[in-house]
Amino acid sequence: MKRTILFLAFFQIFITANAQRTINVDFNKTAGNLNTMFRECVGAGRANEGLRADWQQQLAYVKKECGFKYIRMHGLLTDDMAVYTEDNKGNPVYNYMYVDALYDYLLSIGVKPFVELGFMPNALASGNKTIFWWRGNVTPPKDYNKWEALIKNLVQHFTERYGKEEVKTWYFEVWNEPNLSPGFWSGTQEEYFKLYKYTASAIKSVNPAYKVGGPGTAGAAWESEMIDFCEKNNLPIDFVSTHSYGVTQGFLDEYGQGGTALSKDPMAVSGDVLQSRKEISMSKKPNLELHYTEWSSSYTPADPIHDSYHEAAYILEKLKQVGNAANSMSYWVFTDIFEEPGPRYNPFHGGFGLLTIQGLNKPAFYTYKFLNKLGQTELTNADSRSWVCKNNKGDVQLLLWDYTYTLPDSTNNQNFYNKDLPAKSKGKVKINLSHIPAGEYTMEVYKVGYRTNDVYTGYLDMGKPNQLNKQQVEKLKKQNDGVPVITRQIEIKPNSVFSESFDIRENDVYLISLVKK
């Protein structure tokens, strides 16, 4: 019996190691324009962090490499942005100097604001309940008319400074995760809808073409209720927004002390998005835009999966599953310069970012960089874990990955993804590309996976120092610089099929680019 079990185990290993996945694509068979919802928007922690030089430098870099069009962040109206106070008679005093400095910079590098309206200025707040180290006030306004006047004045200011045609392209989202009470909103659902009513009225009074929406909830909640409320009360709503994370329990854990576990559900996150689109399509406003203004594998900025090579494949798996259901999927966030739990004291702490505080590229960064390299036209492709595209010059790009769930039972992310995790072989992947125009090409192969652009494992090799000195940062940057792992000159003859095979391991990501000379 033992011999039989050992033989079966060996046979399974042999079959896995020698398995071959094949991707067949015809250059002449197109599926239409590539849906680029993945680069529509990206998140950032809070507005005041956007006044830092290192934050701005990192955003410019991420914009250049990943192509994000919009950015969304908390805290635009929080007191550290000095937007609102009152004089000794209770009259409003508005000030937009910090907001202007931030938005001027965003627009100067070609990034538009996805404006999250929150949290409550203390002088306008009905209570003192706050969230995060930086104390964002989460209470309803003490005076809804004053709130409405603030929003109207702010939007008028945007119009005067940037012009109505520019502001027409922005999105105004009312609050953040009001269903997480008392975490992000100390009021009720009814009070949130009241806040939305006053906010939407203020925005539309400045220009009816400006886009307003919500509810920006956690866990795809309140969507149908939001649409029904707007329909019954004849209120404007231009888009629905909500959030989803791929762990199995909870919604709010600043310090990662609860122990998050990546969901085994193969449709985690993406299932929420598809359900949201279904709810909208069945509503009385079936054509509303859908924006997932936060999403990631985990909702805590203390989860080592964010630093792991596993995250790169996870992102691609979810985006591919979402398909055309969402107008944007805003990854939370672009940088570990992020202070919800306060300043962080370790170079790798499970932060949400595509980049570390010191600007090191995480594997997740390369996922978005690879996506940004895809051409405008998607080719017909039956493989569920790849995109094949071409651009107007006739270059071809093939982005493929393996996604394998590896988290052991009864283990949380904090106790698993924080160690050296060698990837097992998944055999080979073979690509066959037919009808590519004859000529000379440069084949460039880029890769992310275990010990390839895997900066966290490199950090572990250093002994996991509490601080990285300048030389260590430069060494990690050089080891994970994203240069091609293969560069080769090839000739494609008329009526031939370009074929190439690659070894693939668990959660590897490849970008194969054929650049025509």
Side-chain angles (χ1 to χ4, degrees), residues 156-186:
Q156 285 175 330
H157 173 78
F158 288 151
T159 303
E160 292 166 4
R161 189 172 186 87
Y162 304 113
K164 66 179 181 179
E165 295 307 315
E166 172 62 32
V167 181
K168 280 181 184 179
T169 67
W170 299 5
Y171 293 86
F172 292 92
E173 182 184 37
V174 181
W175 214 256
N176 176 75
E177 299 190 348
N179 61 319
L180 294 191
S181 181
F184 282 106
W185 177 246
S186 68

Side-chain angles (χ1 to χ4, degrees), residues 468-507:
L468 290 173
N469 61 37
K470 185 176 181 180
Q471 292 74 26
Q472 289 171 320
V473 170
E474 290 306 311
K475 181 178 180 180
L476 288 172
K477 283 187 176 181
K478 188 174 181 180
Q479 289 175 344
N480 303 279
D481 58 6
V483 298
V485 296
I486 299 172
T487 301
R488 193 165 74 232
Q489 307 306 311
I490 61 173
E491 182 181 358
I492 295 178
K493 296 181 179 179
N495 301 315
S496 65
V497 176
F498 171 77
S499 295
E500 196 78 29
S501 292
F502 300 92
D503 294 322
I504 191 164
R505 305 167 300 178
E506 293 172 332
N507 299 296

Side-chain angles (χ1 to χ4, degrees), residues 42-45 49-68 71 105-106 109 111 333-338 347 349 351-362 365 473 477:
V42 73
E49 291 157 1
L51 300 176
R52 289 174 51 164
D54 52 354
W55 186 100
Q56 294 185 0
Q57 290 161 4
Q58 288 195 16
L59 182 62
Y61 172 65
V62 168
K63 165 64 178 177
K64 177 177 178 288
E65 299 294 331
C66 304
F68 295 115
I71 191 166
Y105 176 73
L106 295 181
I109 62 168
V111 177
V333 294
F334 86 90
T335 176
D336 279 354
I337 300 171
F338 180 95
H349 49 268
F352 288 118
L354 300 174
L355 307 178
T356 70
I357 292 171
Q358 292 166 293
L360 294 168
N361 298 338
K362 297 185 190 181
F365 165 83
V473 170
K477 283 187 176 181

Side-chain angles (χ1 to χ4, degrees), residues 15 19 51-52 82 89 91 112 124 153 173 186 199 211 232 245 251 319 344 350 357 410 414 424 433 457 473 483 499:
I15 290 295
L51 300 176
R52 289 174 51 164
K89 295 181 180 179
N91 298 312
K112 295 176 181 289
L124 191 50
N153 188 274
E173 182 184 37
S186 68
T199 308
K211 290 177 280 195
K232 290 175 183 176
Y245 291 91
F251 290 100
L319 291 175
R344 307 314 297 264
I357 292 171
S410 304
Q414 284 76 10
K424 297 175 183 176
L433 304 177
T457 302
V473 170
V483 298
S499 295

Side-chain angles (χ1 to χ4, degrees), residues 181-363:
S181 181
F184 282 106
W185 177 246
S186 68
T188 63
Q189 184 187 76
E190 182 181 10
E191 287 173 303
Y192 170 74
F193 287 158
K194 183 178 180 181
L195 184 81
Y196 181 86
K197 176 183 176 181
Y198 278 82
T199 308
S201 175
I203 293 167
K204 294 292 188 177
S205 72
V206 179
N207 193 315
Y210 291 171
K211 290 177 280 195
V212 62
T217 43
W222 294 9
E223 295 164 315
S224 296
E225 297 94 325
M226 179 82 180
I227 296 170
D228 288 345
F229 174 77
C230 292
E231 175 69 19
K232 290 175 183 176
N233 292 277
N234 197 29
L235 292 174
I237 180 170
D238 299 298
F239 64 91
V240 168
S241 62
T242 189
H243 307 156
S244 185
Y245 291 91
V247 288
T248 55
Q249 73 292 316
F251 290 100
L252 180 61
D253 183 359
E254 298 161 61
Y255 303 98
Q257 296 171 347
T260 44
L262 192 68
S263 174
K264 284 186 174 181
D265 181 357
M267 294 299 290
V269 176
S270 49
D272 282 346
V273 183
L274 296 174
Q275 179 61 30
S276 296
R277 174 52 66 192
K278 183 178 178 181
E279 289 183 30
I280 292 171
S281 67
M282 295 176 66
S283 75
K284 293 183 178 179
K285 296 181 181 292
N287 298 318
L288 288 176
E289 292 184 21
L290 172 62
H291 295 274
Y292 265 70
T293 51
E294 291 183 26
W295 87 276
S296 184
S297 54
S298 175
Y299 57 75
T300 171
D303 195 325
I305 192 173
H306 295 136
D307 299 334
S308 171
Y309 70 87
H310 294 76
E311 185 78 359
Y314 186 88
I315 292 168
L316 290 168
E317 183 80 354
K318 298 302 143 190
L319 291 175
K320 183 72 171 183
Q321 290 173 342
V322 165
N324 297 323
N327 294 83
S328 71
M329 293 286 293
S330 182
Y331 188 77
W332 190 253
V333 294
F334 86 90
T335 176
D336 279 354
I337 300 171
F338 180 95
E339 296 179 338
E340 287 182 0
R344 307 314 297 264
Y345 295 94
N346 302 103
F348 288 90
H349 49 268
F352 288 118
L354 300 174
L355 307 178
T356 70
I357 292 171
Q358 292 166 293
L360 294 168
N361 298 338
K362 297 185 190 181

Side-chain angles (χ1 to χ4, degrees), residues 51-171:
L51 300 176
R52 289 174 51 164
D54 52 354
W55 186 100
Q56 294 185 0
Q57 290 161 4
Q58 288 195 16
L59 182 62
Y61 172 65
V62 168
K63 165 64 178 177
K64 177 177 178 288
E65 299 294 331
C66 304
F68 295 115
K69 297 179 183 178
Y70 289 83
I71 191 166
R72 173 188 177 270
M73 61 198 79
H74 301 324
L76 186 71
L77 306 180
T78 302
D79 277 9
D80 61 5
M81 291 299 285
V83 167
Y84 180 92
T85 188
E86 294 180 355
D87 64 20
N88 56 13
K89 295 181 180 179
N91 298 312
V93 178
Y94 306 124
N95 167 46
Y96 305 124
M97 285 189 289
Y98 286 7
V99 174
D100 290 348
L102 173 61
Y103 279 22
D104 286 358
Y105 176 73
L106 295 181
L107 293 168
S108 77
I109 62 168
V111 177
K112 295 176 181 289
F114 198 117
V115 186
E116 178 199 305
L117 294 168
F119 293 109
M120 194 60 60
N122 284 324
L124 191 50
S126 60
N128 56 14
K129 171 68 177 171
T130 65
I131 192 168
F132 302 139
W133 170 78
W134 42 270
R135 297 182 179 178
N137 191 298
V138 297
T139 67
K142 65 183 180 183
D143 185 323
Y144 280 86
N145 290 320
K146 284 186 175 181
W147 168 264
E148 182 177 13
L150 166 62
I151 301 304
K152 182 176 181 179
N153 188 274
L154 176 66
V155 176
Q156 285 175 330
H157 173 78
F158 288 151
T159 303
E160 292 166 4
R161 189 172 186 87
Y162 304 113
K164 66 179 181 179
E165 295 307 315
E166 172 62 32
V167 181
K168 280 181 184 179
T169 67
W170 299 5
Y171 293 86

